Amino acid sequence: RANNTRIVIRGIGGGFPDPVRVFGSGMYIDGHYIPSSIGGYMSTVDIERIELLRGPQGTLFGKNVTGGAVNIISVKPGEDFDASLVARLTDDGQRDLRGMVNLPITDNFFGRLTFASEEYDGYYYNRFLDRDSGFTESTSGRASFRFLPNDELTIDADLSVSKKRDDNLGSQCIGYGENNDAPQWGGMGGNLERRLYAGAEADFVALCQEDMDAGEFVFSSEKETFSNVDTEGLSLGVDWIPLDSGSWNSLGVKAKAAYRSMEYNYLADRDYLPWPVDGIGTVGANGGISNESLSFELLFEGEVNDRFKFTTGFNFFDETALSGNDQCYDQFVASGGVTDPSISVICEEGLLFELVPNNPLGTGATWPDAPRINNGGPVPFFQNVSVWNESIGVFANATYEINEDWKLDFGGRYTQDDREFNNIEFPVTGCDLTSNPTGLCDFQAIMSQATVVDEGFFNTAADTFSAFTPMISLTRNIDSGIVYGLISEGFLTGGFNTEINSNLPAVAEILPYDPEKVVNYELGYKGRIMDDRVEISANVFLMDYTDQQRIQSISNPGGIYGSDDPIQIVDNVAQSTISGVEFEMRATPWDGGYMTLDIGYLNNEYEDYSFVDPANPNAVLDFSNIIINDYTPDWTVNFAIDHQFQLDGGATLTPRANIYYQSGLEWAAEENWTTDQPASSCYQDGYVKADARVTYTPAEGNWTLAA
């Protein structure tokens, strides 16, 4: 769905709607870690640069990550007046307006204001509602201030706000695919005949086929979907660089505090057909998904002498992530309904999974206007999840010049994560489909011992996960640049299995799962050749990924883990090897010409993914030949070339061409697709993107024209 962004670096990362799970690659905006993939990112307006740090990180700044980090850094206010305005019109109704003004308020106090308004009509068409779909409207702004009280001190303050409204993403069901393998209803499978009405299976396939025959971007959802995100951010940073560092060459102290809040409300339809099946959305004024984060970082940077310099710091990060109003769990416990079957409590705000409603109030001939012929299958349920995370990191990194040819970098980080959650999920009653045909069904979310303890999920847990992760790098200076070798470690914190009942005695040992560990071995070269006209950065790497958190299915015939049989839990049951090559070139092969070439190759394979079958202790289940769900193609290539022509009078004309290629990707890896199977219906073929641009810059003036 819309506003669910996943960051993957070297095959590690991702993102999860469930706030209990964390992911291995991180995003920072001006140094503040963004913990949620849901509604996580604002429009990138007035950006100075974007840094990509590959592999385990954590000895220089921020929060620990295993795959890598993306650091978006905004432009800071300056002492000169500056302003810009960008207007853009494209097809599919895209209308963008971006503006910036930099104001020198006094000799040592500057302000910078940015604003962006972006709209887009989308390119999907909903046949059932007879309207275009995919509309997006985003408004964002930022106010930044810089104060220079003296030559040693810099104080920065930023306030940012963003408001986004859209239709949620369109998509299209694909029948059952060539291999009869396409997941339906969010992966819930078939068996429609016995669940809904006689002939439902054939009707479902026929409806899918009608949409596919109507075009690639046509679907027939009955729901008026939406996705609304509101974010606010505030940060304060202080840099102190004393002019007199005593016996040291230099010394600096940096401190930064930041706060960010996000509110997300949505309605999504995951079957994309005019049936009230597999809808999901937030319910109630305070029932949406929210995330509040607070961070503080203190850095000391120094150069003791010409051969030794260091960075050391402390990072604190606190997060509260809620799916719902953070009240239903406490209300149910306080009521005594956990042990008293006569007590019931209403939960009014949270997340509703409509799934396959029965519609008991329907009076028509067949479902959905009448009740289903069978109550089996995934029934609608209500959810409230509350998560509290607190992370503390202490880190240091040092560089020592051994001699003119050799340099040693070494560092380490100690991280402690305190994590706590509670979760309550239970089936709802009623689910009247007739009163709100374009939205979620009308229902009653009644919490009782029968619905919550016996039929749902009711759990809470807290745990602390900690690790020390070192790094060491040795660099050799050569005539054209440097060669280096690097070993670094990272860990992805542990978590909890939310969809089991923690009040059951047998659950204690499988409720938490442990952290993952990554060790990265890397060799690389960085330098300039051909009279400094060609700049190259290249490396080969191998990452040993152990204690991987993977889903396994446990037989539960006696209900000792809860009501589901089997149940799926996350456990540390896999080990894999990630290897690859990364090559980047920037070149000016002739006067006025510029060329870039980026090539990446990644190989990600399980070394071991086996565990004892919980249903049969004498048997071992082996999934080592499963395709790893890393959302990463094996090959990526990006090539660009431009030339600046000098025109009469001093103006310039610069044409540019760019071509991008990536190899195929198996999205059905989530469905345990093996390496020896043919491509699934969810396989994305390799593709090429090409674009061209020409830019005119006058000899004098403060404008450019590009097409």
Side-chain angles (χ1 to χ4, degrees):
R1 57 179 177 268
N3 301 307
N4 184 1
T5 305
R6 300 181 176 188
I7 302 298
V8 181
I9 302 173
R10 289 183 172 176
I12 298 177
F16 309 97
D18 185 350
V20 177
R21 297 192 65 182
V22 295
F23 39 96
S25 291
M27 174 75 79
Y28 294 83
I29 297 179
D30 287 329
H32 182 63
Y33 178 72
I34 308 299
S36 174
S37 64
I38 298 292
Y41 311 116
M42 299 166 56
S43 176
T44 53
V45 179
D46 205 28
I47 298 303
E48 177 185 292
R49 68 184 187 275
I50 298 177
E51 300 174 340
L52 174 62
L53 307 175
R54 302 182 180 101
Q57 301 291 327
T59 64
L60 290 172
F61 74 96
K63 196 174 180 295
N64 175 75
V65 290
T66 52
V70 177
N71 192 15
I72 300 175
I73 300 171
S74 63
V75 181
K76 302 305 179 186
E79 60 184 7
D80 298 321
F81 176 81
D82 191 15
S84 68
L85 184 67
V86 177
R88 179 168 57 189
L89 296 175
T90 80
D91 54 359
D92 294 316
Q94 184 171 350
R95 307 170 296 280
D96 297 344
L97 184 65
R98 297 183 177 191
M100 177 278 298
V101 59
N102 188 92
L103 299 170
I105 301 172
T106 68
D107 291 342
N108 61 350
F109 183 54
F110 323 123
R112 191 178 185 95
L113 305 177
T114 61
F115 170 81
S117 175
E118 300 166 309
E119 296 184 16
Y120 181 55
D121 291 343
Y123 51 86
Y124 272 92
Y125 173 67
N126 187 329
R127 289 198 307 139
F128 185 79
L129 296 179
D130 189 23
R131 70 178 192 189
D132 293 333
S133 181
F135 171 77
T136 295
E137 182 181 85
S138 176
T139 304
S140 59
R142 186 175 71 245
S144 303
F145 301 95
R146 169 163 284 188
F147 178 46
L148 305 175
N150 54 53
D151 293 337
E152 297 183 344
L153 196 61
T154 301
I155 301 174
D156 288 307
D158 293 90
L159 172 65
S160 61
V161 295
S162 176
K163 178 180 179 181
K164 187 174 182 181
R165 300 291 183 265
D166 62 46
D167 286 342
N168 220 315
L169 293 179
S171 189
Q172 187 181 77
C173 68
I174 55 174
Y176 291 107
E178 294 180 3
N179 302 318
N180 199 34
D181 60 0
Q184 301 296 334
W185 299 2
M188 284 186 281
N191 297 317
L192 307 182
E193 301 273 357
R194 69 176 179 83
R195 295 178 181 178
L196 305 179
Y197 62 87
E201 192 89 5
D203 289 350
F204 182 91
V205 174
L207 286 169
C208 279
Q209 191 61 49
E210 288 178 13
D211 284 347
M212 289 189 290
D213 292 342
E216 283 187 292
F217 305 108
V218 177
F219 68 108
S220 298
S221 173
E222 87 286 359
K223 298 191 184 305
E224 294 181 345
T225 61
F226 63 90
S227 180
N228 299 337
V229 182
D230 294 280
T231 59
E232 297 177 357
L234 179 65
S235 67
L236 178 65
V238 178
D239 287 9
W240 178 56
I241 304 177
L243 298 178
D244 184 4
S245 301
S247 60
W248 290 2
N249 286 0
S250 66
L251 177 68
V253 180
K254 297 181 179 181
K256 184 163 188 174
Y259 168 81
R260 188 176 189 273
S261 71
M262 182 274 299
E263 299 285 342
Y264 177 44
N265 286 279
Y266 71 98
L267 170 60
D269 184 9
R270 297 187 294 185
D271 74 318
Y272 302 106
L273 289 177
W275 280 0
V277 167
D278 208 13
I280 176 175
T282 54
V283 177
N286 299 302
I289 294 174
S290 64
N291 187 287
E292 286 191 343
S293 57
L294 176 67
S295 67
F296 174 76
E297 184 164 273
L298 182 64
L299 290 176
F300 297 89
E301 298 176 337
E303 185 174 324
V304 180
N305 51 48
D306 293 339
R307 300 176 67 179
F308 184 73
K309 55 186 176 182
F310 69 90
T311 298
T312 184
F314 167 80
N315 180 273
F316 170 81
F317 183 81
D318 183 81
E319 174 192 11
T320 299
L322 307 177
S323 176
N325 59 5
D326 189 31
Q327 295 182 9
C328 291
Y329 183 93
D330 293 339
Q331 289 174 349
F332 183 56
V333 172
S335 72
V338 179
T339 57
D340 188 343
S342 66
I343 295 177
S344 62
V345 184
I346 300 294
C347 182
E348 296 181 342
E349 297 179 325
L351 194 60
L352 176 66
F353 292 77
E354 193 176 60
L355 302 188
V356 189
N358 185 27
N359 195 22
L361 301 179
T363 59
T366 60
W367 184 93
D369 298 322
R372 291 166 46 181
I373 61 174
N374 188 303
N375 287 329
V379 297
F381 69 91
F382 208 64
Q383 179 194 70
N384 268 212
V385 180
S386 302
V387 180
W388 300 272
N389 299 323
E390 183 180 283
S391 180
I392 295 175
V394 181
F395 51 88
N397 196 96
T399 299
Y400 178 66
E401 302 276 355
I402 301 173
N403 53 43
E404 292 182 355
D405 295 328
W406 293 94
K407 181 178 70 174
L408 178 68
D409 286 272
F410 56 95
R413 178 189 183 95
Y414 174 77
T415 303
Q416 177 177 301
D417 288 348
D418 296 313
R419 298 173 58 78
E420 180 182 357
F421 88 102
N422 66 50
N423 175 46
I424 187 166
E425 297 180 22
F426 53 93
V428 302
T429 60
C431 223
D432 180 11
L433 301 174
T434 59
S435 59
N436 189 19
T438 61
L440 295 170
C441 62
D442 286 344
F443 63 95
Q444 285 189 309
I446 302 174
M447 300 183 294
S448 67
Q449 187 186 83
T451 59
V452 175
V453 179
D454 297 337
E455 299 181 50
F457 301 120
F458 173 67
N459 52 16
T460 184
D463 209 338
T464 297
F465 307 96
S466 61
F468 175 74
T469 50
M471 68 79 63
I472 186 168
S473 172
L474 186 62
T475 300
R476 164 77 174 179
N477 293 319
I478 60 177
D479 290 340
S480 63
I482 63 170
V483 292
Y484 68 90
L486 167 70
I487 302 175
S488 60
E489 292 189 10
F491 97 111
L492 178 65
T493 193
F496 306 97
N497 287 295
T498 61
E499 297 195 344
I500 52 179
N501 287 321
S502 60
N503 58 311
L504 299 174
V507 166
E509 64 181 50
I510 64 172
L511 183 60
Y513 49 87
D514 294 329
E516 299 178 333
K517 182 180 179 181
V518 174
V519 182
N520 178 45
Y521 305 91
E522 186 171 327
L523 295 173
Y525 165 81
K526 296 181 180 180
R528 294 175 178 269
I529 59 176
M530 298 178 63
D531 296 329
D532 292 340
R533 283 182 173 269
V534 179
E535 179 181 341
I536 292 177
S537 175
N539 65 71
V540 295
F541 65 90
L542 185 146
M543 305 176 79
D544 185 18
Y545 200 174
T546 57
D547 296 324
Q548 284 181 269
Q549 302 160 359
R550 290 297 181 263
I551 295 175
Q552 60 173 305
S553 184
I554 292 182
S555 179
N556 186 35
I560 62 172
Y561 300 117
S563 57
D564 282 2
D565 182 24
I567 66 168
Q568 288 188 329
I569 66 167
V570 175
D571 202 0
N572 306 86
V573 292
Q575 176 180 344
S576 66
T577 298
I578 305 174
S579 58
V581 178
E582 296 163 341
F583 175 87
E584 300 175 359
M585 182 194 73
R586 306 292 180 264
T588 55
W590 61 83
D591 293 341
Y594 186 68
M595 183 185 303
T596 68
L597 175 64
D598 302 295
I599 302 174
Y601 170 74
L602 188 80
N603 183 55
N604 195 348
E605 295 180 350
Y606 283 119
E607 296 295 326
D608 181 38
Y609 184 3
S610 60
F611 51 90
V612 175
D613 185 355
N616 182 5
N618 297 319
V620 174
L621 301 177
D622 192 342
F623 297 102
S624 299
N625 66 334
I626 296 295
I627 295 174
I628 295 180
N629 186 17
D630 59 5
Y631 303 108
T632 306
D634 292 344
W635 286 96
T636 56
V637 179
N638 192 52
F639 175 75
I641 185 170
D642 65 50
H643 179 79
Q644 187 179 81
F645 292 93
Q646 297 292 329
L647 306 181
D648 293 340
T652 62
L653 191 67
T654 307
R656 176 182 175 87
N658 189 91
I659 187 167
Y660 170 84
Y661 164 78
Q662 76 170 45
S663 57
L665 181 59
E666 181 59 84
W667 292 93
E670 291 181 334
E671 309 300 321
N672 290 335
W673 208 262
T674 60
T675 56
D676 57 357
Q677 287 179 265
S680 77
S681 295
C682 295
Y683 182 81
Q684 176 179 296
D685 291 325
Y687 64 88
V688 173
K689 294 193 295 185
D691 62 80
R693 179 184 182 93
V694 59
T695 304
Y696 173 80
T697 304
E700 297 181 1
N702 56 358
W703 59 272
T704 62
L705 179 66

